[in-house]
Amino acid sequence: MRAKISYFITAAVLVVYFVLVGSRGVMLIQQGTALTVTFGGAVLILPVIGIWFLWKNTQFVKKANALAAELDAEGGLPVDELVRTPGGRIDRDSADAVFAKRRAETEDSPDDWRCWFRLAVAYHDARDTPRARKAMQRAIALHEGKPVGV
């Protein structure tokens, strides 16, 4: 729940920022000189890119959460079998061992979105966020029946 609240607060702050930046871009365009119109157009690009980025990330999170809910309903969520340090952090060797198991499971069933979901969790636990995101994107694509590149 804490993550959702943080996400929504961050998204709200970004939307306010996009509105402020967009209004400045419009004000520059309204000045009417070649220089201010050029700068105004350039400034308006930033909120467009930001809104697109926020939208894509929100869709990704919604789809990943839907997969997690479906997997939870099936009883297929990965069990937390990780060793933790006294401070609560995940032990790297433990994360690597679980990752190896999840990778082997995914290699055995490369078309199963459930395996890719669990692999994404293992990547995340091993602190490899880019690969975790790619694995989750693949799980989403497989779940939706979309073609997945090799």
Side-chain angles (χ1 to χ4, degrees), residues 35-47:
L35 184 61
T36 60
V37 168
T38 303
F39 281 148
V43 167
L44 284 176
I45 290 172
L46 295 175

Side-chain angles (χ1 to χ4, degrees), residues 56-68 70 110-118 120 132-148:
K56 294 301 276 183
N57 279 309
T58 301
Q59 293 304 307
F60 174 78
V61 169
K62 284 174 63 177
K63 289 176 182 180
N65 285 341
L67 291 186
E70 186 174 332
D111 295 328
D112 186 358
W113 68 266
R114 294 161 187 85
C115 293
W116 283 98
F117 182 95
R118 289 188 283 268
R133 189 169 181 90
K134 289 281 188 193
M136 187 60 73
Q137 287 170 340
R138 183 170 220 151
I140 291 167
L142 286 169
H143 183 263
E144 293 176 346
K146 293 182 180 174
V148 180

Side-chain angles (χ1 to χ4, degrees), residues 115-137:
C115 293
W116 283 98
F117 182 95
R118 289 188 283 268
L119 181 64
V121 172
Y123 270 126
H124 177 73
D125 290 342
R127 298 187 197 114
D128 191 346
T129 305
R131 287 190 176 130
R133 189 169 181 90
K134 289 281 188 193
M136 187 60 73
Q137 287 170 340

Side-chain angles (χ1 to χ4, degrees), residues 96-117:
D96 289 344
V98 171
F99 171 77
K101 186 165 88 173
R102 298 293 180 222
R103 184 181 60 207
E105 175 186 289
T106 305
E107 288 171 353
D108 290 341
S109 302
D111 295 328
D112 186 358
W113 68 266
R114 294 161 187 85
C115 293
W116 283 98
F117 182 95

Side-chain angles (χ1 to χ4, degrees), residues 28-38:
L28 283 168
I29 290 171
Q30 287 174 341
Q31 292 296 315
T33 68
L35 184 61
T36 60
V37 168
T38 303

Side-chain angles (χ1 to χ4, degrees), residues 69-81:
E70 186 174 332
L71 204 53
D72 186 30
E74 295 175 355
L77 279 178
V79 178
D80 187 1
E81 53 191 307

